[in-house]
Amino acid sequence: MDVFDAINGRRSVREFKPDPIEEDDLRRILNAGRAAPSAGNCQPLELVVVKEQTVKRLLASAAYGQTFIAEAPVVVVVCANVVRTARRYGKRGEELYCIQDTAAATINMMLAAYALGYGTCWVGAFDEGDVARAIRAPAGIRPLAIVPLGRPAEKPAPPPRIPLEKIVHKNVFGQRA
Ligand SMILES: Cc1cc2nc3c(=O)[nH]c(=O)nc-3n(C[C@H](O)[C@H](O)[C@H](O)COP(=O)(O)O)c2cc1C
C-alpha cells in the first residue's frame, strides 16, 4: 500500500472482530514501531503485547471504562523506557524526547496495521498508574499509549480536519502561506 493511502485511509477503529491476529502480521506491526526514529537513536520504546483477557479488562478500566479495548484480540501498550533517553539527554530526554519517540513509533505501528488490513485506535485517556500496575511496569517505564488492534468491525467516516491554509504560516506566524 502506498504510504499516502495509509496515512489518509487510516481511521480510529473502536469495534473489532474477534479474529486472531496472524503472528507474522503482529511482528511486522511491532517492527514498524521499532523502525521509528528516536532522539539520538536512544530507542526508549518498550512494547507490552496483551492477549490475556484479564489484563485487557484491567486496561479498559484504567482507561476510564473504554470497553472496546478489551474487545480487541490484541492490545499493545506502548511504553517509554525513560532512563534510556534521560541517561543521554537529561531533563529534555525525560520530558520530551522519549514521549515524541514513542508517539512516532505508535503511528508507525498504526499505519502498518492499517496497511495489513487491521484497525487500531490510539488510546491516551487513562490513569497512568493503573496501566503501569496492570502491565506490571517496573520503575522508569512509562505507559504512554494503549493501542487495541484487530480486524475492524466498523468503517468510520473521516472526521473533519482544520484546512491546511489555517495551520500553515509563511516564514513566521501572522503571514499565511
Ligand atoms: C494522543 C491521542 C490520544 C487519544 N486518546 C483517545 C482515547 O482515549 N479514546 C479514543 O477513543 N480515542 C482516542 N484518540 C483517537 C482520536 O480521537 C482520533 O485520532 C481523532 O478523533 C481523529 O480520528 P482518526 O484517528 O480517525 O483520524 C486519541 C488520539 C491521540 C493522538
Side-chain angles (χ1 to χ4, degrees), residues 10-14 63 66 68 110 120-126 144-145 156-161:
R10 180 212 56 82
R11 293 274 68 82
S12 289
V13 168
R14 299 178 180 89
Q66 299 192 68
F68 66 90
M110 290 169 73
T120 59
C121 184
W122 183 320
V123 175
F126 55 78
L144 294 174
R161 292 292 198 256

Side-chain angles (χ1 to χ4, degrees), residues 74-153:
V74 170
V75 180
V76 179
V77 184
V78 185
C79 303
N81 186 324
V82 179
V83 183
R84 215 177 270 155
T85 301
R87 211 182 282 136
R88 173 124 166 228
Y89 291 114
K91 202 165 145 61
R92 193 162 175 81
E94 185 179 329
E95 290 180 355
L96 181 65
Y97 294 160
C98 70
I99 292 164
Q100 293 176 321
D101 296 343
T102 49
T106 303
I107 192 61
N108 260 21
M109 288 189 284
M110 290 169 73
L111 292 175
Y114 177 75
L116 293 170
Y118 296 98
T120 59
C121 184
W122 183 320
V123 175
F126 55 78
D127 182 293
E128 203 175 304
D130 286 350
V131 171
R133 274 183 288 281
I135 58 169
R136 298 190 204 151
I141 301 289
R142 268 191 86 179
L144 294 174
I146 298 174
V147 182
L149 169 67
R151 294 285 178 202

